[in-house]
Amino acid sequence: MVNVLIKIALLLLLILSGCATTSLPPITSSTFATLEEDEKGLWRRSEEEQRIINRSGLIYKDEELENYLNEIARKLTPPEVLNYIQFKVKVIKNPYLNAFSYPNGVIYVHTGILARMDNEAQLATLLGHEITHITHRHAVRTFRDIKNKTAFLATLQVSLAVFKDDIIREIVNILGVIGTIAAVSGYSKKLETEADIEGFKLMLNAGYDPYEAPKLFEYLKKELEDEQIKEPFFFGTHPRLQERIQNYNSFLAQLQYPNVTKNTEVFLQKTKNVILDNAFLDLKAGRFNMAKRGAEKYLSIKPDDARAYYLLGEIHRQKGEKDDSEKAKENYEKAISLDPSFPDSYKGLGMIYYKQGEKALAKKYFELYLSLYPKAPDKAYIEEYLKTLQER
Amino acid sequence: MRKLPLIALLFIIGCIPTPPWSKVGGQYFDDSQNFYVELPKGWKKSNRVVYLLLTRDGVLLQNIMITRMDIDAELKYTKKKLKRDMLPQEVAEVIIDDLTSNPNILNFNLIENIPAKISGHQGFRLLFTFRNEEGVKYKSVYYGFIAGGKFYGIRYTAAERYYFDKDIETFEKIVKSFKLLSEET
């Protein structure tokens, strides 16, 4: 953490000498000519930070999905901006609700937030917001603003005071300075509101249903409240979500827009794999209810998928509370009925019966598992269970 | 008046901080953590942490950690909980999920996950690689088991190049020598 603070302080001091204006025209403005020198520095720094993210193994690889997200970003982007910035949307394997952008046009969206959206209009709301951070040069304005304040270090400490949790401190190390401000602490209220307003206009101009904008954040807020989850990121913090809902509702009160689209079906088809993969990530993180909702949402799009039933089985087996064993068995059995060649459900059943002392059934399912998956990575455990069952 | 230098000396001694590292070697009893191990010569033990943290050339190059925690305690990165009646494979699953939910562990690659016996207890042995945020590749061996209401973890992590192979045998000897001082309830 100290290391990160030093890096941030040095970066700011090095790239921002003198008192610079924070009032810069957006790239969309006719008065915009070229990037400022310190802004170019931020772009170079952004590329370095992105290299770390891109080689970290955190990028979710789905070319079709990436193309789709980039297509929506292009649809939202004012044409004049494309002369200066090539937007690129990438997905990060992370179940937490977040998205963030770098000043050079790269936007990262977590699988967590993507999996919880309902339609393209909600996606457009999110991307419109992030695109505005870029076109309105919020990164350089933020860095200049911090530098211009007399109590420079105090301001820095306040802006980083959110990093109380270990998990956030460690994320800070990976994201780097620019990514941290964009992803974790967020920009000032003024700049976030600007991103809400301008982003909202972008989604409206592209023909999306404006009533979907606040819905996205209402769902997120409700989910966080239901689960009593404190998301460590900007999108998940309650006051910010509340402010954002209010922002959108006040725009909606003033406007009327007919002939708008949500593109629900296309969106769900394109994102269905993310929904299931993210549910597995939620399970890893021990967020059982969220994982279950993800699996059920996936099944509502693709009802006969053995992997989703297997996941439901795993959620119940690993949760291990009252009635969970029976629910796990039902789901594993459903997965087997849909795809008898999918081995993992046999293992799940074997483990439950093994713990319940049902020797014959445990043996049957473990043997089936190994026959379908002779090189299973957990073969040694299964062989040990079978040996124990033989001895008993 | 003669007492003054003596008082000053006592005061100075009292103010000398414990050194961060101390040399180890031979038998090591840790009553507070309820275990015994045979430690190699030439290694150092950290005096700054409750658990046993050893290194020879520096923690970033190689380290060995022996930790003990209540199974009810929250893990750092996953919300999953350990339970007394878990099979070693299930315990390993939770530990892997905790490791892979750690945002500082990048490019995690599980090479092996097998059952293992530690101090007479059924447990697991994981072998995996990962990179830190600077891109350095590390390799780890992680033994773990549940005894009563406690989880014990014995872990060796070293830079994959050169250092891992250099001390893996030393680590395995430490694991073999590991004994609980009294059975956990």
Side-chain angles (χ1 to χ4, degrees), chain B residues 5 11 38 45 67 75 93 97 102 122 149-150 168 180:
Chain B
F11 181 74
E38 289 272 345
K45 167 193 168 297
T67 55
L75 292 162
E93 247 170 23
D97 286 344
N102 175 352
Q122 296 293 342
K150 303 286 180 195
I168 183 66
L180 291 186

Side-chain angles (χ1 to χ4, degrees), chain A residues 114-256:
Chain A
L114 213 45
R116 280 163 184 88
M117 289 177 187
D118 288 334
N119 52 51
E120 206 172 284
Q122 292 178 3
L123 171 65
T125 306
L126 183 83
L127 292 180
H129 179 94
E130 294 304 327
I131 286 170
T132 305
H133 279 315
I134 298 164
T135 57
H136 286 58
R137 306 160 82 184
H138 288 174
V140 68
R141 285 165 68 185
T142 298
F143 278 104
R144 285 185 177 187
D145 187 43
I146 295 171
K147 170 64 173 59
N148 287 347
K149 288 194 172 131
T150 45
F152 167 66
L153 282 172
T155 309
L156 196 62
Q157 278 176 337
V158 170
S159 68
L160 295 171
V162 288
F163 309 147
K164 286 173 198 153
D165 298 340
D166 285 341
I167 196 160
I168 299 181
R169 272 201 290 272
E170 278 151 21
I171 287 164
V172 165
N173 282 338
I174 295 164
L175 288 181
V177 179
I178 301 165
T180 296
I181 289 178
V184 185
S185 57
Y187 295 107
S188 69
K189 191 177 168 181
K190 187 182 151 200
L191 296 185
E192 290 298 344
T193 304
E194 183 174 57
D196 280 345
I197 297 168
E198 298 303 320
F200 186 73
K201 286 181 192 164
L202 293 178
M203 68 97 77
L204 274 176
N205 290 340
Y208 289 108
D209 183 348
Y211 289 93
E212 290 302 313
K215 273 188 202 166
L216 168 66
F217 299 104
E218 276 162 14
Y219 292 157
L220 299 181
K221 185 169 159 262
K222 189 176 179 304
E223 191 165 286
L224 296 176
E225 285 167 354
D226 287 353
E227 299 286 329
Q228 294 181 317
I229 288 171
K230 212 176 108 198
E231 298 279 297
F233 296 109
F234 171 70
F235 274 104
T237 54
H238 188 275
R240 296 274 187 146
L241 271 178
Q242 190 56 49
E243 276 170 30
R244 176 150 294 157
I245 292 164
Q246 281 164 0
N247 282 346
Y248 287 119
N249 281 331
S250 61
F251 311 145
L252 286 169
Q254 303 158 22
L255 304 166
Q256 277 193 331

Side-chain angles (χ1 to χ4, degrees), chain A residues 3 7 52 55-58 96 166-171 173-174 229-230 281 283-288 314 317-321 347 351 354-355 366 377-382 384-385, chain B residues 76-81 83 85-90 92-94 96-98 100-108 110 112-116 122-126 131-135:
Chain A
N3 193 21
K7 279 184 193 167
I52 294 172
R55 68 167 188 236
S56 66
L58 294 172
Y96 291 101
D166 285 341
I167 196 160
I168 299 181
R169 272 201 290 272
E170 278 151 21
I171 287 164
N173 282 338
I174 295 164
I229 288 171
K230 212 176 108 198
L281 292 176
L283 174 62
K284 269 185 175 295
R287 293 146 55 114
F288 295 112
E314 282 293 287
R317 180 182 68 79
Q318 293 187 29
K319 201 172 160 198
E321 288 171 7
K347 178 182 73 181
M351 284 172 82
Y354 183 83
K355 287 179 88 172
F366 283 142
D378 53 358
K379 187 180 174 182
Y381 286 106
I382 309 299
E384 197 155 288
Y385 300 145
Chain B
K76 208 168 172 184
Y77 303 103
T78 180
K79 290 189 167 67
K80 285 185 184 177
K81 290 277 176 77
K83 290 174 192 153
D85 66 343
M86 277 181 159
L87 298 167
Q89 187 182 4
E90 292 176 308
E93 247 170 23
V94 174
I96 292 166
D97 286 344
D98 195 49
T100 52
S101 299
N102 175 352
N104 249 2
I105 289 194
L106 307 173
N107 302 99
F108 180 88
L110 182 64
E112 189 178 69
N113 174 9
I114 54 170
Q122 296 293 342
F124 63 81
R125 181 186 190 272
L126 307 176
R131 286 183 193 274
N132 68 2
E133 70 270 18
E134 267 88 37

Side-chain angles (χ1 to χ4, degrees), chain B residues 2 14 42 66 73 76 95 99 111 125 127 129 138 177 181:
Chain B
R2 273 185 204 165
I66 302 183
K76 208 168 172 184
I95 296 303
L99 290 166
I111 300 164
R125 181 186 190 272
L127 174 67
T129 58
Y138 287 95
S177 73
L181 293 176

